Amino acid sequence: MSTQVRPGWLEKPKPVTQVAKVLALLVVVALVCVPFLVILSTSLASQREVVANGGWVLWPGEPTLQAYRDIFDGGIVTHALGVSAGVTVVGTLLSLACTVTLAYSLSRPGVLGGKPVLLLILFTFLFPPGMIPNFLLVKELGLLDSYASLILPVLINVFNLVVLRGFFQSIPEELFEAAKLDGASDLRVLWSIVLPLSKAALAVVGLFYAVAYWNSWFYASLFMESDHWPLQQVLRTYVVAGVGLTDTTTGEASVNAPQTIQMAVLVIATVPILLVYPFLQKYFTKGVLTGAIKS
């Protein structure tokens, strides 16, 4: 009588293997957390500590919020933070609305002109427009130095569109037929059937859009004056150029070491995404796994 051999992944791991996994996990956690801890500690350190430690502080002996006070008192970062938040919220909602409606239209069989439109969209994915055509188009439309120039050129991402279209096509056709028999319009089907079944995919695509808008700085450098820059462009200017802050009311330069200002702005730019992600993690994980299985 033959005995069935259990697969290797079902066997209980050996103590040496468990220890190796724990050590590997600790190394990965350290590689992720230590840089962020250094950034946060440097932003909270005093000028004397930063200079004494060569520009970086692992744990501040004299924690201070002076760098953050200088940032918010100056008004530049505060305004940039509002610009980034507004562009991210409005841009994400508009992008989701346009992507969902277009993906739903292209996912339905028999749509007039659906295949040529899809090929045209995929062509833009393979051959994206360059910097000069983008600038000339935005200039001709009169959108220079307007917040619309940060949203309209990237309103629909082709990858997100293809992901949603594939997800909509995976919904059983019997649901659409039943809704049509009940007299539901296409808009009603989209709102009452498709969207409730696509929460996980919408969460993934929405997170992709939000992160892209929040981290965007390139279009701001092309189309926007410095008075209307979003946070990431301000951060890039401070970190790359190493400039300090100037108080908009007194005109006096910041007394803090430039490194503390740079790290404080970096913390402010990073924390919002870290706060939003835990609320979408469940849908994000489900959406990624569902897309992987259905593809």
Side-chain angles (χ1 to χ4, degrees):
M1 182 177 180
S2 60
T3 58
Q4 186 176 3
V5 180
R6 289 166 56 89
W9 61 82
L10 293 180
E11 298 292 340
K12 184 178 180 180
K14 299 179 181 179
V16 177
T17 305
Q18 290 180 324
V19 172
K21 290 181 179 179
V22 172
L23 292 177
L25 182 60
L26 291 176
V27 170
V28 172
V29 172
L31 291 175
V32 173
C33 294
V34 170
F36 186 76
L37 176 62
V38 171
I39 292 172
L40 180 61
S41 300
T42 304
S43 69
L44 296 174
S46 62
Q47 180 179 356
R48 182 162 56 93
E49 277 189 292
V50 173
V51 175
N53 289 274
W56 301 99
V57 177
L58 183 59
W59 192 262
E62 302 174 0
T64 176
L65 296 176
Q66 187 60 42
Y68 294 92
R69 295 192 189 99
D70 290 341
I71 287 174
F72 289 110
D73 288 343
I76 299 176
V77 175
T78 305
H79 178 71
L81 185 61
V83 171
S84 290
V87 169
T88 300
V89 173
V90 175
T92 301
L93 293 177
L94 289 177
S95 293
L96 274 178
C98 295
T99 304
V100 165
T101 52
L102 183 55
Y104 176 69
S105 301
L106 296 177
S107 68
R108 305 308 304 142
V111 175
L112 181 64
K115 189 172 182 179
V117 171
L118 180 60
L119 292 176
L120 181 62
I121 293 173
L122 294 177
F123 180 83
T124 63
F125 181 69
L126 297 175
F127 303 98
M131 178 176 61
I132 295 178
N134 266 326
F135 180 82
L136 294 177
L137 177 61
V138 171
K139 182 180 179 181
E140 289 298 322
L141 293 176
L143 298 178
L144 287 179
D145 201 27
S146 67
Y147 297 129
S149 64
L150 303 179
I151 298 176
L152 295 182
V154 291
L155 186 63
I156 296 180
N157 181 276
V158 179
F159 174 79
N160 294 336
L161 175 67
V162 172
V163 169
L164 279 184
R165 175 178 176 271
F167 191 90
F168 293 161
Q169 287 179 326
S170 67
I171 297 177
E173 187 65 28
E174 290 77 11
L175 294 176
F176 297 100
E177 295 176 357
K180 291 295 183 181
L181 290 176
D182 290 338
S185 62
D186 288 329
L187 184 60
R188 181 68 176 178
V189 172
L190 174 63
W191 182 261
S192 300
I193 297 178
V194 176
L195 293 185
L197 294 176
S198 308
K199 290 181 180 178
L202 292 176
V204 174
V205 172
L207 184 61
F208 286 164
Y209 274 127
V211 172
Y213 279 117
W214 182 261
N215 291 333
S216 177
W217 61 269
F218 181 71
Y219 285 115
S221 65
L222 286 180
F223 307 137
M224 307 292 290
E225 297 291 338
S226 59
D227 294 339
H228 302 135
W229 276 351
L231 184 60
Q232 300 300 333
Q233 177 62 13
V234 173
L235 171 63
R236 183 178 181 274
T237 302
Y238 288 166
V239 173
V240 174
V243 298
L245 289 174
T246 301
D247 195 318
T248 56
T249 57
T250 64
E252 296 179 356
S254 171
V255 298
N256 273 72
Q259 194 78 353
T260 61
I261 294 293
Q262 295 172 12
M263 296 305 104
V265 177
L266 185 57
V267 171
I268 295 172
T270 305
V271 166
I273 294 297
L274 295 180
L275 294 179
V276 171
Y277 179 76
F279 297 99
L280 298 177
Q281 183 179 6
K282 177 179 65 174
Y283 297 104
F284 182 81
T285 305
K286 182 180 177 182
V288 171
L289 291 178
T290 302
I293 294 173
K294 291 184 178 180
S295 62

